[in-house]
């Protein structure tokens, strides 16, 4: 071991720090230094020592928790030679821990300087995790790290750390993809470049509470992507009156859209002051085009000059006028590995995202998240009732496959679409296929209302919910409405892992704080061949079912009309009750022209133990077992009736190997043929059934999601 006493000051870190140290520990992989691993050097060092790391890739997870030391590459001695940053790599090997942890035993003297820090995987702070200490992190390249929760590149908790001259890029987290700074402590950021980071949920680039951004050595923050909101910069509880950056994604980001930036308390106080000297993108108030063989340096203004990534087009389009703009997505497969797509991507108000067709425009998530998100971080921060919600957009003509994540469990992981505080929009012509086990599901929508979903197919997905819908909403509407049309959920298996919540195919809840009437219509719905299993034991014997509608408030009307729907052959495994339909709380429901049959253990469960008003009427419908076999959970009460031509009878579905892909179409001899009613007030039937055949034939309508159709040739 070599010990060198140094009696003079050595200026390092580009003349930013003067460090007086007593012992220099050299780390060389060839064995000519004091140690071959950085961990050995840290363990040997005392406060005031320097650990000097020579070039090489060190597969280690470092922990500094006893002494204030300087940990530096040769860049600390030769600051004109940045290759030392590139060539001195600390690699966490994705083994479940941050690459570098600096714990709360430290005071303010620890310095980390001149490294590439990569491949960390942890709960918080994939690259660097700092807690209750105030080190200096300088001149580091922090890339390709993952945090299941916050701070993919760096998580700083309860600390006044100094972060300067770093490049933070290509990191991933649930929130704060690049950097997350938490509470208590005014961390100082100067001269950093934060770019190309992603967040599954809250913020892609920089998410900070109480941080200070230097206004002399300026930071650059650009082209980051967040799953829900705020791609680049989220500031809260700031003491600064203004923020200046060198380079931002655009020169003049709109804070009210909460797309690129939000500064919550400044918005509320009306003192928003943000300046960018340079930008990476010049927004255009025009339709844009995207193709798999496009390039983000193209104009994107014509099909001949398409952009490559949908997320880049969302950042570039300017939609501040009354008319919607469109992003047209050509046919092809869009994925991260094939053409650098960034998922999940945010939607914008007044922008339609339109694929060429759902058969040919395919989003392959490669089991690494979900496709589309929309969230308003603070619904009361903006002015005007309509500005509190993202609205006035549509997503059409896509197949979304391989959503969710098989290995990384972000606490808000979804499989297809996740919306929060969204209203007045449309989803149309979308397939969801092959989702991974998950706690949320293919479509998750909360705090939303007044929307249209049409022609959605969910096939062969597992985990969570197929559709999870919490109805709420603001704006100027007196009634909260939703309309779902031609929705097919088939062959879903849920709750496959121990401790899973055990979701259902479709869950609709009216939130407790809703003070407006709710009017929902679902027409041509198929939920078949689903299975719920391995329910979280917290819920005991609760009767999970594949269609669940609930509301706990009894002072406003909560009306649901389920028209021409088929709910059949679903299972709730290892449950006392459940399987088919569940109504819970204050509900007024009409099940019209529908078939509820073959669900086990129950076709219909009533859970109304608080004894709210509940009226459920089957009109021209089939309910297997009739009124006698309805299961009432925990002494529930409800007024349930079977009206007009409702019956308990076998619908005689066509099964597989008869007519192919629609086994729940009625057979020629079915008693449900022509037995539906056309007399439904304030309702217009869709032109086609769920299979694309005419919905009304010869002035008659069948029960269920399909109108009888006899093909000209049999399909074997």
């Amino acid at each position: 071991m070599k010990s060198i006493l140094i009696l003079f000051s050595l200026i390092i870190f580009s003349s930013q720090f003067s460090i007086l140290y007593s012992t220099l520990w050299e780390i060389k992989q060839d064995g000519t230094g004091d140690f071959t691993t950085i961990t050995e050097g840290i363990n040997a060092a005392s406060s005031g020592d320097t650990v000097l790391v020579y070039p090489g890739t060190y597969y280690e997870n470092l922990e500094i928790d006893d002494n204030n030391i300087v940990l530096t590459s040769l860049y600390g001695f030769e600051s004109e030679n940045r290759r030392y940053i590139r060539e001195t790599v600390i690699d966490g090997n994705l083994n479940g821990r941050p690459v570098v942890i600096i714990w709360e035993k430290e005071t303010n003297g620890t310095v980390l300087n001149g490294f590439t820090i990569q491949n960390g995987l942890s709960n918080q702070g994939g690259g660097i995790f700092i807690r209750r200490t105030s080190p200096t992190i300088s001149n580091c390249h922090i890339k390709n790290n993952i945090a299941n929760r916050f701070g993919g590149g760096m998580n700083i908790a309860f600390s006044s750390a100094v972060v300067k001259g770093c490049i933070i890029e290509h990191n991933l987290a649930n929130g704060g993809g690049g950097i997350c700074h938490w509470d208590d402590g005014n961390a100082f950021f100067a001269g950093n470049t934060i770019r190309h980071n992603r967040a599954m949920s809250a913020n892609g680039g920089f998410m900070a509470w109480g941080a200070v951004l230097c206004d002399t050595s300026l930071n650059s923050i650009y082209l980051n992507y967040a799953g829900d909101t705020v791609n680049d910069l989220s500031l809260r509880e700031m003491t600064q009156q203004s923020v200046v950056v060198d380079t931002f994604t655009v020169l003049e980001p709109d804070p009210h859209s909460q797309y690129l930036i939000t500064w919550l308390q400044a918005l509320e106080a009306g003192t928003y002051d943000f300046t960018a000297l340079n930008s990476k993108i010049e927004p255009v108030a025009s339709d844009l085009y995207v193709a798999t063989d496009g390039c983000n340096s193209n104009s994107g203004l014509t099909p001949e000059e398409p952009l490559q990534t949908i997320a880049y087009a969302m950042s570039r389009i300017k939609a501040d006028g009354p008319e919607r703009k469109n992003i047209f997505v050509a046919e092809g497969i869009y994925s991260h590995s094939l053409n650098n797509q960034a998922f999940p991507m945010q939607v914008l108000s007044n922008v339609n995202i339109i694929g060429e067709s759902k058969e040919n425009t395919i989003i392959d998530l490669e089991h690494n998240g979900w496709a589309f998100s929309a969230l308003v971080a603070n619904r009361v921060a903006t002015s005007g009732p309509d500005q509190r919600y993202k609205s006035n957009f549509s997503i059409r003509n896509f197949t979304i496959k391989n959503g969710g994540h098989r290995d990384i469990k972000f606490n808000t992981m979804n499989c297809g679409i996740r919306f929060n505080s969204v209203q007045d929009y449309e989803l149309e012509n979308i397939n969801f296929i092959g989702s991974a086990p998950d706690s949320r599901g293919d479509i998750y929508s909360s705090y939303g209302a007044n929307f249209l979903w049409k022609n959605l197919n969910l096939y062969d997905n597992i985990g969570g919910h197929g559709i999870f819908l919490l109805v709420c909403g603001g704006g100027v509407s007196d009634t909260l409405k939703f309309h779902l049309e031609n929705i097919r959920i088939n062959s879903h298996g849920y709750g496959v892992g121990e401790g899973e919540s055990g979701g259902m195919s479709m869950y609709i809840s009216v939130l407790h704080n809703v003070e407006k009437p709710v009017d929902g219509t679902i027409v041509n719905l198929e939920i078949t061949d689903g299975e719920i299993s391995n329910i979280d034991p917290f819920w005991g014997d609760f009767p999970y079912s594949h269609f669940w509608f609930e509301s706990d408030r009894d002072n406003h009307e909560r009306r649901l009309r389920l028209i021409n729907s088929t709910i059949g052959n679903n299972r709730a495994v290892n449950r006392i009750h459940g399987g088919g339909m569940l109504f819970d709380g204050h509900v007024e429901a009409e099940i019209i022209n529908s078939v509820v049959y073959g669900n086990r253990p129950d076709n219909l469960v009533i859970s109304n133990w608080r004894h709210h008003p509940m009226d459920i009427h089957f009109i021209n419908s089939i309910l297997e077992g009739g009124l006698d076999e309805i299961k009432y959970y925990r002494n529930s009460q409800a007024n349930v009736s079977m009206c007009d031509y409702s019956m308990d009878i076998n619908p005689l579905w066509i099964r597989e190997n008869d007519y192919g892909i629609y086994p729940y179409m009625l057979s020629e001899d079915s008693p449900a043929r022509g037995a539906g009613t056309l007399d439904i007030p304030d309702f217009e039937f869709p032109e086609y059934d769920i299979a694309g055949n005419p919905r009304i034939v010869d002035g008659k309508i069948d029960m269920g999601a399909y109108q009888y159709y006899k093909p000209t040739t049999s399909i074997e």
Side-chain angles (χ1 to χ4, degrees):
M1 182 183 300
K2 180 175 62 177
S3 178
I4 302 176
L5 182 63
I6 305 296
L7 299 177
F8 55 90
S9 295
L10 177 65
I11 299 177
I12 60 174
F13 316 142
S14 302
S15 73
Q16 297 297 317
F17 297 95
S18 291
I19 304 297
L20 179 65
Y21 60 84
S22 58
T23 305
L24 176 72
W25 304 92
E26 293 186 336
I27 313 301
K28 297 182 179 180
Q29 291 183 323
D30 63 4
T32 61
D34 296 302
F35 304 106
T36 58
T37 69
I38 304 172
T39 300
E40 291 176 294
I42 292 172
N43 292 338
S46 300
S47 291
D49 288 355
T50 294
V51 178
L52 176 61
V53 183
Y54 282 73
T57 299
Y58 296 81
Y59 293 95
E60 301 186 53
N61 298 92
L62 308 181
E63 187 169 330
I64 306 173
D65 63 356
D66 285 323
N67 301 308
N68 292 316
I69 64 173
V70 174
L71 180 62
T72 182
S73 70
L74 287 175
Y75 179 79
F77 293 82
E78 299 181 33
S79 59
E80 74 283 355
N81 198 338
R82 293 190 63 86
R83 72 178 180 87
Y84 288 127
I85 301 174
R86 218 172 34 248
E87 295 174 357
T88 314
V89 180
I90 310 174
D91 192 308
N93 206 27
L94 297 175
N95 67 0
R97 298 186 61 202
V99 181
V100 180
I101 298 174
I102 305 177
W103 284 103
E104 48 194 86
K105 292 182 182 179
E106 293 303 300
T107 54
N108 296 342
T110 295
V111 176
L112 180 69
N113 177 70
F115 294 96
T116 291
I117 296 171
Q118 65 184 30
N119 293 333
L121 170 61
S122 70
N123 194 37
Q124 298 190 58
I128 300 174
F129 179 65
I130 300 168
R131 181 179 175 85
R132 296 193 187 279
T133 181
S134 300
T136 296
I137 312 298
S138 58
N139 306 307
C140 289
H141 190 178
I142 303 166
K143 66 176 185 177
N144 300 332
N145 300 285
I146 299 171
N148 283 331
R149 295 190 66 194
F150 299 103
M154 187 183 305
N155 191 82
I156 305 171
F158 310 104
S159 168
S160 297
V162 174
V163 181
K164 51 188 295 184
C166 294
I167 297 173
I168 300 101
E169 66 176 347
H170 298 301
N171 300 287
L172 173 66
N174 183 49
I179 297 177
C180 180
H181 173 251
W182 284 99
D183 299 324
D184 293 350
N186 294 323
F188 181 81
F189 297 87
N192 301 287
T193 299
I194 305 169
R195 65 192 183 196
H196 305 307
N197 300 285
R198 290 194 298 134
M200 289 295 175
S201 183
N203 174 263
F206 186 14
M207 180 167 62
W209 281 256
V212 176
L213 280 73
C214 182
D215 58 2
T216 54
S217 179
L218 300 180
N219 299 278
S220 292
I221 306 170
Y222 57 84
L223 295 179
N224 302 283
Y225 295 105
D228 289 330
T229 186
V230 195
N231 282 334
D232 287 320
L233 182 59
S234 176
L235 302 175
R236 307 186 185 199
E237 301 177 12
M238 298 287 290
T239 59
Q240 288 177 269
Q241 297 298 312
S242 63
V243 169
V244 181
V245 299
D246 180 276
T247 304
F248 203 67
T249 299
V250 301
L251 278 180
E252 298 179 354
D254 177 10
H256 295 285
S257 73
Q258 297 194 27
Y259 184 75
L260 293 175
I261 184 172
T262 185
W263 192 346
L264 294 181
Q265 78 277 16
L267 291 176
E268 293 169 349
T271 57
Y272 176 84
D273 187 6
F274 174 83
T275 302
L277 303 183
N278 304 284
S279 67
K280 288 291 182 179
I281 294 177
E282 182 177 353
V284 292
S286 175
D287 293 344
L288 292 176
Y289 295 83
V290 176
T292 56
D293 59 352
C295 180
N296 286 345
S297 62
N298 289 343
S299 70
L301 297 175
T302 67
E304 293 73 32
E305 283 278 324
L307 304 172
Q308 183 183 59
T309 65
I310 308 170
Y312 187 89
M314 294 297 294
S315 295
R316 189 172 184 203
I317 201 164
K318 186 175 183 179
D320 54 0
E323 295 184 0
R324 294 189 189 185
K325 300 297 188 296
N326 302 295
I327 295 176
F328 295 104
V329 184
E331 66 178 52
I333 299 176
Y334 293 80
S335 72
H336 179 71
S337 64
L338 289 177
N339 35 60
N340 303 310
Q341 303 298 319
F343 300 119
M345 71 189 89
Q346 291 186 64
V347 302
L348 275 172
S349 295
N350 303 319
V351 175
N352 299 323
I353 308 173
I354 305 172
E356 184 271 333
S357 69
K358 69 179 180 182
E359 294 80 14
N360 298 323
T361 311
I362 300 169
I363 293 176
D364 187 348
L365 297 167
E366 302 173 311
H367 294 305
N368 191 25
W370 61 99
F372 298 103
S373 279
L375 181 144
V376 177
N378 187 346
R379 291 184 302 281
V380 300
T382 56
S383 60
D386 293 328
Q387 293 183 7
R388 299 179 185 181
Y389 295 81
K390 290 192 176 181
S391 62
N392 196 35
F393 67 88
S394 66
I395 302 173
R396 304 201 297 267
N397 306 336
F398 289 97
T399 286
I400 300 173
K401 69 178 186 178
N402 299 327
H405 208 297
R406 297 190 184 280
D407 301 311
I408 302 172
K409 295 298 181 183
F410 293 103
N411 65 345
T412 54
M413 179 64 74
N414 294 268
C415 294
I417 292 174
R418 180 176 184 243
F419 287 166
N420 189 311
S421 304
V422 180
Q423 62 182 22
D424 300 312
Y425 69 94
E426 304 88 37
L427 300 178
E428 188 171 354
N429 299 330
I430 303 175
N431 294 330
F432 300 86
I433 303 173
S435 296
D438 167 70
S439 63
R440 290 296 181 98
D442 297 300
I443 306 176
Y444 178 91
S445 175
S446 63
Y447 293 93
N450 307 325
F451 52 81
L452 169 66
W453 297 357
K454 186 175 180 180
N455 300 332
L456 308 182
N457 298 310
L458 290 70
Y459 304 129
D460 299 323
N461 302 297
I462 56 177
H465 305 81
I467 294 174
F468 186 98
L469 174 59
L470 303 181
V471 180
C472 190
V476 297
S477 301
D478 294 328
T479 301
L480 305 181
K481 297 183 179 181
F482 60 90
H483 183 95
L484 279 58
E485 180 178 313
N486 290 352
I487 312 294
R488 188 176 188 224
I489 309 175
N490 178 259
S491 298
H492 276 48
Y494 294 112
V496 297
E498 183 178 356
E500 292 281 349
S501 61
M504 61 291 303
S505 297
M506 180 178 290
Y507 171 75
I508 304 172
S509 175
V510 179
L511 293 188
H512 301 179
N513 60 348
V514 173
E515 299 293 340
K516 295 180 179 181
V518 174
D519 188 357
T521 300
I522 304 175
V523 58
N524 294 348
L525 167 70
E526 178 192 341
I527 300 176
T528 54
D529 300 321
E531 181 175 297
I532 301 173
S533 61
N534 294 334
I535 306 299
D536 189 327
F538 173 81
W539 292 102
D541 63 349
F542 198 85
Y544 278 83
S545 296
H546 281 268
F547 179 89
W548 182 347
F549 182 83
E550 72 168 352
S551 173
D552 281 347
R553 297 298 293 268
D554 60 3
N555 57 339
H556 289 284
E557 179 183 357
R558 277 84 171 88
R559 185 175 76 157
L560 174 72
R561 293 190 296 180
L562 191 65
I563 302 171
N564 280 105
S565 296
T566 298
I567 300 176
N569 289 342
N570 300 290
R571 301 288 185 269
V573 179
N574 300 323
R575 308 304 296 163
I576 297 174
H577 299 308
M581 304 179 71
L582 170 67
F583 291 98
D584 187 358
H586 176 217
V587 174
E588 179 183 338
E590 293 179 328
I591 296 92
I592 306 171
N593 298 348
S594 296
V595 178
V596 184
Y597 192 89
N599 304 285
R600 297 296 180 266
D602 305 301
N603 283 285
L604 175 61
V605 179
I606 303 297
S607 174
N608 188 23
W609 55 276
R610 294 182 180 178
H611 305 313
H612 292 298
M614 178 180 284
D615 294 284
I616 301 173
H617 305 291
F618 286 82
I619 303 169
N620 293 76
S621 295
I622 291 176
L623 173 63
E624 184 184 11
L627 301 180
D628 294 336
E629 294 190 15
I630 297 174
K631 294 300 189 301
Y632 291 87
Y633 180 73
R634 292 185 179 176
N635 300 316
S636 295
Q637 296 180 4
N639 175 28
V640 185
S641 66
M642 296 184 68
C643 309
D644 299 332
Y645 294 97
S646 294
M647 61 191 80
D648 167 20
I649 195 170
N650 191 326
L652 298 180
W653 288 313
I654 291 175
R655 302 307 296 151
E656 291 185 270
N657 300 322
D658 290 333
Y659 293 130
I661 64 173
Y662 297 112
Y664 288 92
M665 189 178 292
L666 300 176
S667 65
E668 188 171 5
D669 299 325
S670 171
R673 283 192 59 202
T677 178
L678 296 172
D679 185 15
I680 303 177
D682 302 318
F683 175 76
E684 182 177 347
F685 283 93
E687 184 176 359
Y688 300 104
D689 71 0
I690 202 168
N693 298 317
R695 181 69 271 191
I696 300 172
V697 177
D698 297 329
K700 295 182 179 181
I701 191 167
D702 296 345
M703 294 179 180
Y706 300 92
Q707 194 74 10
Y708 172 74
Y709 171 74
K710 185 175 183 179
T712 56
T713 59
S714 177
I715 300 176
E716 297 183 359

